[in-house]
Amino acid sequence: MEKSKLLKARVYVGTYKEYNNGSLFGQWMNLADYQSKEEFLDACKELHSDEDEPEFMYQDYSNIPDGMISESYINPLLFGIIQCAKDMDDTETEAFFTFLDMYFVDYSYIKDGEELVEKFRDKYAGQFDSEEAFATYMAEMKWPEELQTEFGQYFDYEAYSRTLLTSGYRHQGDFYFCVA
């Protein structure tokens, strides 16, 4: 997902009471307008101030990563993620969303969006146009330059990429991550 799309993340907020009464009354709300879930929920309460204790229903959404929203839940990390994304370039944002979509992060141990971005940066190995290019990069990171020059031409980077991808690394598209 591109940064410009993330910053346009929005949700249509209605209530279960309105829906059960046959009304779809609600409003599209831009998540980038809110620093936290609490601030967002306060705005939702103001929108539905005609109800004593409104049960919010997120009837539609756009530009939100999979698994971060459902009909009755918005992950509080999403607000911190949006704020952090303001400092990312487009490629890093796309890699970040790929990371989120891969489902190997247990969100229950993450306290805020900044910690999640930090975990992403720790796990992100880079963007490569092939598995062999990834293996070459990893070998260059581990071997001294003299070994690369002397023995690199004899090394089977294709086999090394298979080893890497079965022992702690995964990729989706061009983005590679350490999952160990």
Side-chain angles (χ1 to χ4, degrees):
M1 175 174 282
E2 297 170 12
K3 176 181 175 177
S4 61
K5 288 184 179 180
L6 174 62
L7 297 178
K8 293 178 185 175
R10 60 192 197 129
V11 62
Y12 188 86
V13 181
T15 66
Y16 283 98
K17 180 179 177 182
E18 291 285 343
Y19 181 80
N20 290 333
N21 289 331
S23 171
L24 295 177
F25 172 75
Q27 181 176 315
W28 281 101
M29 302 181 81
N30 296 317
L31 299 185
D33 294 342
Y34 308 98
Q35 297 287 320
S36 66
K37 185 174 179 180
E38 293 76 24
E39 189 177 324
F40 170 73
L41 291 175
D42 287 343
C44 293
K45 288 175 188 171
E46 187 176 317
L47 172 65
H48 294 286
S49 60
D50 59 326
E51 295 182 35
D52 291 333
E53 292 186 37
E55 291 180 76
F56 302 117
M57 182 180 194
Y58 308 122
Q59 297 168 327
D60 199 4
Y61 63 90
S62 62
N63 302 317
I64 297 176
D66 294 339
M68 304 232 34
I69 188 168
S70 68
E71 181 179 283
S72 60
Y73 174 76
I74 291 183
N75 190 316
L77 295 175
L78 184 58
F79 298 90
I81 291 168
I82 290 170
Q83 298 306 314
C84 290
K86 292 177 181 178
D87 297 329
M88 292 180 182
D89 65 27
D90 288 342
T91 300
E92 187 178 27
T93 303
E94 186 179 350
F96 182 59
F97 272 92
T98 300
F99 172 79
L100 294 176
D101 288 342
M102 290 176 77
Y103 297 111
F104 61 82
V105 175
D106 183 353
Y107 296 122
S108 63
Y109 293 104
I110 306 292
K111 66 178 185 217
D112 59 26
E114 282 129 8
E115 183 179 343
L116 184 58
V117 170
E118 183 179 319
K119 183 170 266 320
F120 154 71
R121 288 183 174 142
D122 287 344
K123 299 287 186 182
Y124 182 50
Q127 183 179 17
F128 304 94
D129 59 5
S130 70
E131 292 177 1
E132 194 170 321
F134 170 63
T136 302
Y137 168 79
M138 293 301 289
E140 288 172 354
M141 296 296 291
K142 293 181 179 188
W143 301 340
E145 190 173 327
E146 16 339 311
L147 280 180
Q148 294 172 38
T149 305
E150 191 171 334
F151 299 109
Q153 63 185 336
Y154 303 109
F155 192 74
D156 186 348
Y157 290 101
E158 188 177 331
Y160 185 47
S161 71
R162 285 192 302 273
T163 299
L164 288 168
L165 294 172
T166 57
S167 62
Y169 289 90
R170 287 180 46 200
H171 75 98
Q172 185 168 320
D174 293 346
F175 300 110
Y176 288 73
F177 303 91
C178 175
V179 295

